[in-house]
Amino acid sequence: MGVTGPIRVVVAKPGLDGHDRGAKVIARALRDAGMEVIYTGLHQTPEQVVDTAIQEDADAIGLSILSGAHMTLFAKVIELLKERDAEDIKVFGGGIIPEADIPPLKELGVAAIFTPGTSTGDVVAWVNANVRQSADA
């Protein structure tokens, strides 16, 4: 049973962070690459993000976090996906995330972290290569 159609990605801005330019740029790049993108808007709770991803049958969640709350917010999204039996939804993210925090985030289950300066092409290439790869095999 392969999944057909374009890759579906929820792009979210969890927490109190009010800066969404980067998230909108990534959302646009993913959409321009042929993916279906659901942008949730600012100030989403982890519960809202996970609910949206499940309701929209998303393949991935991309979180943009600039507030410094990345350890808490990523952990909560991963925890909620496990609770909802939706661990097949890959989580990736970006923002102002110190290099020292990337290995612990990956241990939590975050598939990839993109820091400032990453090209949109690199993000698109990663999503294409890593989301739904088992369906393409």
Side-chain angles (χ1 to χ4, degrees):
M1 265 189 271
V3 178
T4 59
I7 294 171
R8 294 177 60 82
V9 181
V10 169
V11 175
K13 289 291 300 180
L16 299 177
D17 179 8
H19 301 281
D20 64 350
R21 182 178 295 169
K24 287 179 177 177
V25 167
I26 292 299
R28 176 77 183 253
L30 295 173
R31 188 184 71 217
D32 288 351
M35 298 175 209
E36 289 185 13
V37 178
I38 300 95
Y39 176 64
T40 63
L42 292 169
H43 310 301
Q44 298 295 295
T45 67
E47 291 81 4
Q48 289 171 317
V49 172
V50 170
D51 286 347
T52 299
I54 291 169
Q55 290 169 5
E56 294 289 343
D57 198 23
D59 299 299
I61 297 171
L63 299 176
S64 172
I65 304 173
L66 304 173
S67 65
H70 50 275
M71 297 302 288
T72 303
L73 293 169
F74 275 110
K76 186 63 177 175
V77 167
I78 296 285
E79 174 189 323
L80 290 166
L81 288 170
K82 287 178 183 174
E83 287 176 9
R84 304 277 303 272
D85 196 26
E87 293 174 89
D88 58 321
I89 300 173
K90 290 209 176 179
V91 177
F92 67 96
I96 309 297
I97 298 171
E99 287 291 325
D101 290 346
I102 294 174
L105 288 170
K106 288 189 173 184
E107 286 176 28
L108 285 173
V110 178
I113 297 291
F114 300 99
T115 55
T118 302
S119 76
T120 56
D122 287 346
V123 176
V124 168
W126 182 89
V127 172
N128 277 321
N130 292 282
V131 174
R132 267 206 223 157
Q133 77 264 33
S134 60
D136 297 335

